[in-house]
Amino acid sequence: MKRNSLFLFLSMMFVWVGLCSAQTTSDKYYLIDGYFFNGMPPGVRSAEGDRLAMLQDDEGHSAWEIRLGKGKTLPEYVIKYRIPVEEVPGGEELLRISRSGKAPVLGIASNSVTLDEWVGKPFPDFKVTDTTGRVWTKADILGKPFVLNYWHTGCGPCIKEMSDLNEWMKVCPDVTYFSTTWNTAEQIKKIVENRPFLFTHIADELFFFNLFKVQVTPTTLLVDKKGIIRYWDEGTNASKREFLFDKLKELSAE
């Protein structure tokens, strides 16, 4: 399925960089607006005019640079997730290469339909059945914040973040937590029981995927007590999880 977005292109390119550079696949550094980030910072979306470049020095250190379109800057809240240039292998040289303007542009973003269009709108009506056989509708999630996490069994980052998502449940128990996957209940059984993953599981189901046209896993949505979609992000890393967890605590306190 084709996704006209910079970030699908990024995910494909990361496979290449893990094979062809000295940087490990766990160290995915981004340079955006002059700031380095270890992983894509939360809430940053591709948009018309954004460009992707690869920075690489003679020692094999590398980073992806996202050059924001004309007139765009990073939101203020994103800058708190930056990391010092000294913590990036080859950071000073990579920054020099960026400022020289000689790094090749590998892709140009175009506008794409995303979940941003749903932020501030009511979560749609639904009727789904969880792996225990319970039927859920929109009425069942109103009155509490609601978390919806998309994953599948072949998604390593999805599985890796499960223990952190379980911690959300301890701090914010008065929240409804769903996971959704196209895998069957039998296929996910070993993972969700052994890790464990304590969310309510909606398996063998594409309803939520089709509803919001979600094509990247993990993706996580936060919905407030009135059923209004408030926040979302795709992919996962420490800063994305921290951002969403902070927002969930705010929703719980409202």
Side-chain angles (χ1 to χ4, degrees):
M1 188 179 301
K2 184 176 180 181
R3 183 171 186 265
N4 193 18
S5 161
L6 172 60
F7 295 130
L8 181 57
F9 176 68
L10 281 172
S11 66
M12 293 186 292
M13 291 300 294
F14 279 136
V15 175
W16 178 85
V17 80
L19 294 173
C20 300
S21 80
Q23 181 171 302
T24 67
T25 54
S26 62
D27 296 324
K28 301 173 182 176
Y29 294 102
Y30 289 78
L31 180 66
I32 310 174
D33 217 14
Y35 299 104
F36 278 107
F37 299 90
N38 194 349
M40 179 64 70
V44 176
R45 319 285 187 220
S46 63
E48 192 77 31
D50 290 351
R51 296 168 181 261
L52 172 69
M54 188 183 74
L55 309 175
Q56 186 163 7
D57 66 15
D58 292 339
E59 302 299 321
H61 304 120
S62 62
W64 295 107
E65 180 180 16
I66 296 180
R67 300 175 183 172
L68 301 177
K70 185 177 180 180
K72 289 181 59 181
T73 59
L74 281 177
E76 187 65 29
Y77 78 86
V78 172
I79 298 175
K80 68 173 283 190
Y81 300 105
R82 70 188 185 278
I83 59 175
V85 64
E86 295 81 12
E87 295 183 11
V88 179
E92 292 286 358
E93 178 63 12
L94 295 175
L95 194 57
R96 186 196 66 77
I97 294 170
S98 168
R99 289 170 176 168
S100 74
K102 296 180 180 179
V105 173
L106 301 178
I108 301 175
S110 59
N111 288 334
S112 59
V113 176
T114 75
L115 270 163
D116 282 330
E117 297 180 1
W118 284 91
V119 173
K121 296 180 180 179
F123 196 95
D125 292 334
F126 65 88
K127 183 178 181 181
V128 294
T129 304
D130 70 24
T131 53
T132 71
R134 175 177 172 176
V135 176
W136 294 79
T137 67
K138 181 178 176 178
D140 297 310
I141 69 167
L142 296 177
K144 298 180 179 180
F146 173 52
V147 175
L148 178 61
N149 175 255
Y150 292 77
W151 74 289
H152 66 93
T153 58
C155 173
C158 301
I159 296 170
K160 187 175 180 180
E161 75 169 356
M162 288 175 180
S163 60
D164 285 344
L165 299 185
N166 287 341
E167 291 298 315
W168 294 10
M169 302 179 74
K170 295 178 182 179
V171 177
C172 300
D174 195 25
V175 173
T176 302
Y177 294 91
F178 273 20
S179 82
T180 186
T181 178
W182 60 75
N183 295 116
T184 67
E186 185 61 31
Q187 288 171 331
I188 71 170
K189 181 179 175 64
K190 185 175 180 179
I191 293 173
V192 300
E193 290 183 356
N194 291 350
R195 298 237 17 123
F197 187 26
L198 303 176
F199 281 29
T200 294
H201 302 296
I202 312 299
D204 198 15
E205 178 64 77
L206 287 174
F207 176 80
F208 289 126
F209 284 87
N210 292 334
L211 182 63
F212 299 118
K213 299 180 174 62
V214 170
Q215 298 175 36
V216 175
T217 57
T219 287
T220 303
L221 279 72
L222 304 185
V223 181
D224 68 18
K225 297 175 183 179
K226 296 180 180 180
I228 304 300
I229 298 170
R230 297 282 292 275
Y231 307 100
W232 74 279
D233 219 329
E234 64 181 18
T236 185
N237 56 44
S239 63
K240 287 175 181 283
R241 292 191 297 274
E242 178 184 349
F243 172 76
L244 289 173
F245 191 22
D246 286 344
K247 293 305 179 184
L248 179 61
K249 286 183 280 189
E250 292 177 7
L251 295 182
S252 295
E254 286 182 352

